[in-house]
Structures are given as structure tokens and as C-alpha cells.
Amino acid sequence: MVPGRPSVPPPAATIGAVADASLFERVGGREGVDRIVETFYGFVEADAVQRAIYPDDLEPGKRKLKLFFEQWLGGEPVYSALYGHPRLRRRHFPFVIDDLAAGRWLRYMQAAMSECGVPREATAVIFERLGPLAHHMVNAGEDIPREPLGDRFME
Ligand code: HEM
């Protein structure tokens, strides 16, 4: 249960969702997802160029990525109960993302999953979807609204 928000049904429109409870289990469930995201953020922090894309405080983003992954991998849809439709491309508008940043994001996520012991075939299934999704987030040079969105609930 999520305080302050009614439960919402899982969003059918989550882009490229791999909603499959067994996949969520294969990454180690909620604990596995938490470990992967912590490890991923460790790589981001160690790379000054990638780090510069993120806000000073990394904790809110970490929390949201954990909730999003949990939902996207077939766990509970708590992310959408709190924030609504993921609208990931829109939510990334405040951050300038180029092809190189997308490549680094994917490399660090791959390294995090490997370090956290996600089985190779589960990683392969996940990256079939994550690859296009990360490149879909590229927005450098686009004339789009860059104002911060915070914790906005989106329909
Ligand atoms: C392509 C390279 C990417 C970069 C450089 C990037 C960077 C960022 C940044 C800077 C934030 C804001 C963090 C904060 O507010 O503290 C963010 C948020 C987020 N990112 Fe990414 N991201 C990328 C790709 C992805 C992908 C592929 C996914 C999903 C599979 C994803 C999922 C999320 C989620 C769920 C949030 C929180 C959105 C919200 O509710 O505000 N990102 N990302």
C-alpha cells in the first residue's frame, strides 16, 4: 500500500515493459533491484561527466528508479501509484541526454547487474528492452521544456 495515493492498475502503456513476475524474481526481487540501483548509482558517482547530468541530491532519483524497475520487471506497480504514468521520455526533459550519456547509462546498468549476480539470460532479456529505451531518452539539442518536474503525478 502506498500512503496518500489510491492503488492504480498496472499501466499497460509502460514503454517496453517486461512485466513478468518470474523476471522480477530472477533479479532477486525488491532486494535485488535495490542492490542493482545502488551499484548503478555508484558507477554514476564515480564518473564526473555522467554525474554532472544528475541533481546534487541523488537519493530521490535512486528511490524512483528502484520503484520504477520493480514495476517494470513485474513487481508491484508502486511507482505508478505514486507518480502516475511513467512518461519516461517526458520526465527526462529537464536533463540533457546525448548518445554518449545513453551509452554510459547502459554500460553502468549492465555492469551493476553483472556485479549483483543477475543471471546472464535474464540480463539479455532485460537489455533487449533497455537498449532501445535508453536511446529513446536522448534529447540533446532538442527544443523542449527543460524546467524541473519534481514529483509530478502524470496521467
Ligand atoms: C539514457 C540515459 C539516461 C540518463 C542520462 C538518465 C538520467 C536521469 C536523471 C538525471 C534523472 C533525474 C534523477 C533525479 O531527479 O534525481 C533520471 C530519472 C529517472 N530515470 Fe533516467 N536516465 C537515463 C535513462 C533511463 C532509462 C533507460 C530508464 C528506465 C529504464 C530511466 C529511468 C528513470 C526513472 C524512473 C527516473 C525517475 C523519474 C521520475 O519519476 O522523476 N532512465 N534519469
Side-chain angles (χ1 to χ4, degrees):
M1 263 317 289
V2 181
R5 285 277 177 198
S7 284
V8 295
T14 299
I15 320 163
V18 208
D20 166 356
S22 74
L23 195 56
F24 181 55
E25 277 162 33
R26 276 183 287 159
V27 304
R30 187 172 296 166
E31 273 180 28
V33 167
D34 287 0
R35 235 177 308 127
I36 291 164
V37 171
E38 292 292 337
T39 308
F40 168 82
Y41 263 85
F43 289 125
V44 170
E45 280 194 88
D47 174 341
V49 177
Q50 197 76 347
R51 177 66 184 85
I53 301 171
Y54 286 75
D56 288 346
D57 183 2
L58 293 176
E59 291 307 317
K62 240 188 233 183
R63 225 165 19 242
K64 288 173 171 177
L65 188 55
K66 287 175 183 173
L67 291 178
F68 174 80
F69 265 149
E70 179 174 349
Q71 167 173 318
W72 191 72
L73 292 166
E76 275 187 69
V78 176
Y79 177 90
S80 283
L82 288 170
Y83 307 113
H85 192 295
R87 303 211 181 285
L88 281 186
R89 186 171 153 74
R90 178 65 187 91
R91 288 194 205 261
H92 283 76
F93 279 5
F95 312 99
V96 178
I97 299 174
D98 61 14
D99 284 318
L100 290 173
R104 286 189 297 264
W105 192 100
L106 287 166
R107 257 199 331 278
Y108 295 153
M109 190 53 77
Q110 181 117 47
M113 291 200 185
S114 159
E115 203 167 300
C116 294
V118 176
R120 207 178 286 259
E121 71 288 352
T123 307
V125 172
I126 292 168
F127 274 80
E128 248 171 59
R129 308 295 182 97
L130 270 188
L133 190 49
H135 288 288
H136 176 65
M137 235 59 85
V138 170
N139 60 27
E142 290 181 29
D143 183 16
I144 49 177
R146 298 284 184 183
E147 85 286 349
L149 294 169
D151 289 343
R152 189 169 304 177
F153 189 91
M154 293 189 188
E155 299 298 333

